[in-house]
Amino acid sequence: AAIACAGKLSSRRALAVMLSLLAIQLPGLSPQPPTSRRALLRQAGALGAGAAGLAAAPPASFAGLLPPKQGIEKTKPADAELDDELLASKSVRDGIAALKQYRKSAISLQDQFAKDGNMNLIPVIRKEFDFSKLRDDLNVVTTVFDDQTQLTTDQRTRSIIYDLTELENAARLKKGDPERTPKKIANVQKWFVKLDKDFGDLFEYFPASALNYVPPPPPPPPPPAAEE
């Protein structure tokens, strides 16, 4: 009986902790007014990119566990509102550069796969795509948008994570069978195509100046000291 009672107390304590965490992150359960991801990113900017990524991440899209919300009113790229100051911040610029590199890596990998449909993709996918870092970058860059637009861009970010997960699943080879059938090859190619499309759909929300930004070169080293 004592063990059963302790088990109930433990379960209740765990539930209480979980509800407390939800109250912190979900506006509907929090007694405090909700704070926008944009404001959180501003507050965390001084703490570095890691803190900025955590601050910008909403529970659903950060975890990558929930499907995109259905029935929301989608915001078109032309109607998106941007925070120019955040867009020019180092954390956002670095995040956009990282996402562009992820897309290039996916295109390169797709080209390699087109030449060898039996290549072992999974080690390369895991090397080129750090899922945790990718989530952080996606969450940071989309914080430049107003809250209404973020409902749409969050769908794009979840789709990108989902595409990569399905790409890895489709790329698996059965043990002892190193060859893919034409059907399996077509399935892998399908996820490469969808991944590239979803990256492109997300990039449509950013101005060309942000996508084409080139950081200035570092300052030249100081001249050598004159010999006395």
Side-chain angles (χ1 to χ4, degrees):
I3 295 175
C5 182
K8 290 181 179 179
L9 288 174
S10 178
S11 298
R12 289 176 182 174
R13 188 176 294 110
L15 179 60
V17 171
M18 182 172 66
L19 290 175
S20 298
L21 291 174
L22 285 173
I24 293 172
Q25 298 192 37
L26 297 181
L29 296 178
S30 176
Q32 301 177 351
T35 302
S36 71
R37 285 158 56 188
R38 183 184 294 182
L40 287 174
L41 184 61
R42 285 183 180 280
Q43 295 169 11
L47 300 179
L54 289 173
S61 61
F62 179 73
L65 298 177
L66 300 181
K69 294 180 181 179
Q70 302 298 322
I72 67 168
E73 183 180 350
K74 294 184 179 179
T75 303
K76 297 178 181 179
D79 298 328
E81 295 182 12
L82 284 163
D83 185 315
D84 292 330
E85 185 179 345
L86 277 180
L87 188 64
S89 66
K90 185 178 185 304
S91 59
V92 171
R93 282 175 170 171
D94 288 349
I96 291 175
L99 295 181
K100 289 172 60 181
Q101 184 56 50
Y102 281 128
R103 190 183 190 186
K104 285 183 181 179
S105 296
I107 293 173
S108 175
L109 189 54
Q110 183 180 10
D111 290 342
Q112 295 176 50
F113 182 73
K115 298 174 183 177
D116 179 10
N118 294 318
M119 70 175 292
N120 190 0
L121 282 171
I122 291 181
V124 187
I125 292 174
R126 293 179 178 175
K127 178 183 177 182
E128 296 293 332
F129 299 94
D130 182 333
F131 278 50
S132 177
K133 178 67 167 57
L134 174 58
R135 284 192 187 98
D136 283 351
D137 290 331
L138 287 167
N139 284 314
V140 167
V141 301
T142 53
T143 308
V144 303
F145 301 108
D146 63 283
D147 290 345
Q148 181 61 39
T149 301
Q150 285 180 27
L151 296 177
T152 301
T153 56
D154 282 352
Q155 287 187 326
R156 304 288 188 268
T157 62
R158 284 193 289 268
S159 292
I160 289 170
I161 296 295
Y162 182 75
D163 295 342
L164 275 172
T165 302
E166 290 302 311
L167 176 62
E168 183 173 318
N169 290 335
R172 296 186 186 281
L173 289 167
K174 289 184 178 180
K175 191 174 181 179
D177 185 7
E179 294 188 1
R180 294 184 178 90
T181 64
K183 183 178 179 180
K184 289 183 177 180
I185 291 175
N187 192 36
V188 173
Q189 288 284 15
K190 176 187 75 173
W191 289 109
F192 271 125
V193 171
K194 188 172 185 304
L195 176 63
D196 186 67
K197 179 182 181 302
D198 287 333
F199 268 122
D201 288 346
L202 178 62
F203 287 164
E204 285 183 0
Y205 285 81
F206 294 91
S209 58
L211 294 173
N212 299 326
Y213 172 76
V214 178
E227 296 182 2
E228 296 181 359

